[in-house]
Amino acid sequence: MMVLQPELVRDSEYYLPDGNTVIQVENVLFNIHRYILSRDGSAFEGMFSLDNIPQSDSAETLIMTNAENTRPSYSRSHLHHQHLSPEGSSDKTPILLSGDTAADFRSLLWALYALPAEVFAMPSTQAQITRLIGIARIAHKYAFRTTESWALSVLTICVCQAPDTPSGHDIHGDVEVDSEAGKSIVSSTELLIQLTEVAVLCAHDELHEAVEPIWADLLFAGQTQDIVSAMGLADRYKSQLRPLLGLAYYLMMLKGKEEWTKAASGDVEIDSDKTKKPRLTRDQRIRLLSGYYNLSRACEALSNNPPKLTHHPSC
């Protein structure tokens, strides 16, 4: 059976008329300046240094040439690049990036091309925070270390900062401001999942520590859907999210078997925005049943063999 290639379209924002490198992400073509991608010791710098297409004679290129000895090692497993063809020179022979979304790559280009005033403006909407998450994720993949560090730092500030609000609750996109607690609260579970995933991916301890209390507040609110979401996330990153893993399973266990059955129902509910609600997997139910059984046995053993408690002399 013949597999048809999706029709390629030029990006409306970053197919630049004076660009000198065409890159394809999904079915979108970007025509951008090679020296922009070669900055910050990125993986693209290593790739471009191996081909026969000269970089633009720019100040950035000269700086990269002088810093050649400090370039990091580069793996080309996710960049399909062949020496024998002038890839990147036209729409017919673009450099193909696999495993990325056009939205994330567009976000990275925004960060690389942005004006100082745009870079230093604090995000205040869900779309802006989601864009920063995408920037951090793709900058980490392609070793834009400075850009990655900047995006993660701004995300951490957004989560931790105490907004100046007189009273009540002020919601900007998916960031809900709780004036009583004096800190910003990510009210969207999906956004919180993305923040946690990028913190784990980039091994950013500050962002990781910032989202932990938000997860605790969310889970103690008792919504089954949120607890199941936390269980799924923690199961994927067991070694990095052990506290979240334990808390989520503990709170779900307290809900009892009837709630587990509802959460594992094959009739998956659909939200108003057509998003599927998470549900318990078979393995998760087995873990809950095993934990329930072990705790029940432990309680029975305590009634038959109560521990001997000794008073401290100071009591």
Side-chain angles (χ1 to χ4, degrees), residues 142-156:
Y142 293 113
F144 287 93
R145 299 306 181 201
T146 303
T147 303
E148 175 191 351
S149 177
W150 162 77
L152 291 169
S153 297
V154 175
L155 286 171
T156 304

Side-chain angles (χ1 to χ4, degrees), residues 166-226:
S167 62
H169 297 272
D170 184 17
I171 299 179
H172 301 280
D174 268 13
V175 177
E176 178 183 339
V177 176
D178 186 343
S179 59
E180 295 180 0
K183 62 181 181 180
S184 60
I185 299 177
V186 179
S187 60
S188 164
T189 305
E190 179 58 34
L191 194 62
L192 184 56
I193 290 173
Q194 293 182 47
L195 285 166
T196 307
E197 286 177 334
V198 78
V200 171
L201 172 67
C202 302
H204 196 266
D205 293 338
E206 290 81 2
L207 181 57
H208 191 170
E209 292 172 1
V211 298
E212 280 184 343
I214 301 177
W215 270 116
D217 291 341
L218 184 67
L219 297 186
F220 279 119
Q223 294 296 321
T224 299
Q225 181 181 347
D226 294 333

Side-chain angles (χ1 to χ4, degrees), residues 9-25 28-34 36-37 88-91 93-95 105 109 113:
V9 296
R10 292 181 173 182
D11 188 72
S12 60
E13 189 171 0
Y14 291 107
Y15 193 95
L16 306 177
D18 59 342
N20 58 3
T21 302
V22 180
I23 292 180
Q24 178 185 343
V25 185
V28 182
L29 295 175
F30 300 86
N31 189 24
I32 51 183
H33 303 100
R34 181 166 295 203
I36 287 289
L37 291 179
S89 60
S90 70
D91 289 4
T93 57
I95 297 173
F105 192 69
L109 294 178
Y113 278 102

Side-chain angles (χ1 to χ4, degrees), residues 82-101:
Q82 301 176 1
H83 298 291
L84 300 179
S85 62
E87 285 191 287
S89 60
S90 70
D91 289 4
K92 294 182 179 179
T93 57
I95 297 173
L96 176 62
L97 303 188
S98 299
D100 302 311
T101 66

Side-chain angles (χ1 to χ4, degrees), residues 250-266:
Y250 168 71
L251 293 176
M252 180 56 75
M253 185 177 297
L254 293 181
K255 286 185 171 292
K257 297 179 182 178
E258 184 177 348
E259 191 68 20
W260 306 348
T261 302
K262 291 180 181 179
S265 173

